[in-house]
Amino acid sequence: MSVPLYVPAGEGEFVNIRDTKRTYLKLVTADSDGEFGFFEHHMAPEASGASPHIHKQSTEMFYVVKGEIEFTIGDRKVVGEPGAFAYVPKGEPHGFTNRGNEDATLLIMFYPIYNREDYFRGLGRLTANGRNPSLEELQEHMAKYDQFMV
């Protein structure tokens, strides 16, 4: 059963993934009975973010807090500045990068969550110490958490 939760700014579990600076796992599966996930994603300048992919079971939403995020949604590219919001229903191709030369902060939400926090934790392990996992390793990891490259 989920209970109310408060996570102060700059606190909570986090992972470091490749050229992101830090991803905070603010609301995870256990906190919401698997209904909703909420992540605060801090990106370095020109960080690659996520290449185009789909989720077969989850809807993903994004809110730009800081910086310029270039979203690929379907076959179009748009640049989101602070205050921009993107809603991506399951099955729709999408991806994002920090296209600016400044840090960026992106809020990422999933419904339902399907243990998405373990996806981020796993990426942190796969890319620890500058390691570049193989395409096969990435695809296998992604598939466990409802993410498929397009």
Side-chain angles (χ1 to χ4, degrees):
M1 180 169 105
S2 58
V3 297
L5 174 70
Y6 172 76
V7 182
E11 292 189 22
E13 181 184 354
F14 65 86
V15 295
N16 295 317
I17 305 165
R18 224 180 283 158
D19 54 2
T20 63
K21 296 185 94 173
R22 182 162 286 175
T23 300
Y24 286 95
L25 313 177
K26 295 290 191 171
L27 181 68
V28 298
T29 301
D31 298 328
S32 69
D33 292 334
E35 292 180 1
F36 192 78
F38 191 87
F39 307 95
E40 183 180 327
H41 196 63
H42 295 263
M43 300 175 71
E46 300 177 6
S48 57
S51 58
H53 62 277
I54 64 164
H55 304 286
K56 295 178 181 178
Q57 300 178 36
S58 293
T59 293
E60 190 169 10
M61 295 161 276
F62 302 93
Y63 183 85
V64 179
V65 175
K66 177 182 174 186
E68 292 182 345
I69 302 295
E70 181 178 271
F71 293 101
T72 301
I73 302 173
D75 61 355
R76 67 185 187 135
K77 291 186 184 284
V78 293
V79 176
E81 295 180 344
F85 173 78
Y87 170 80
V88 184
K90 60 185 171 184
E92 290 294 322
H94 60 285
F96 61 88
T97 62
N98 177 0
R99 84 179 278 248
N101 55 9
E102 296 181 11
D103 291 347
T105 302
L106 182 63
L107 302 180
I108 305 172
M109 298 148 275
F110 284 89
Y111 173 80
I113 185 172
Y114 292 109
N115 297 305
R116 192 66 181 174
E117 63 275 10
D118 289 338
Y119 169 78
F120 290 118
R121 289 173 182 138
L123 274 185
R125 287 189 298 273
L126 284 172
T127 62
N129 302 314
R131 181 176 182 268
N132 284 316
S134 70
L135 181 60
E136 292 79 20
E137 285 178 296
L138 284 175
Q139 288 177 321
E140 181 180 326
H141 178 72
M142 292 165 83
K144 289 180 193 175
Y145 301 102
D146 186 41
Q147 184 163 322
F148 306 90
M149 292 181 177
V150 293

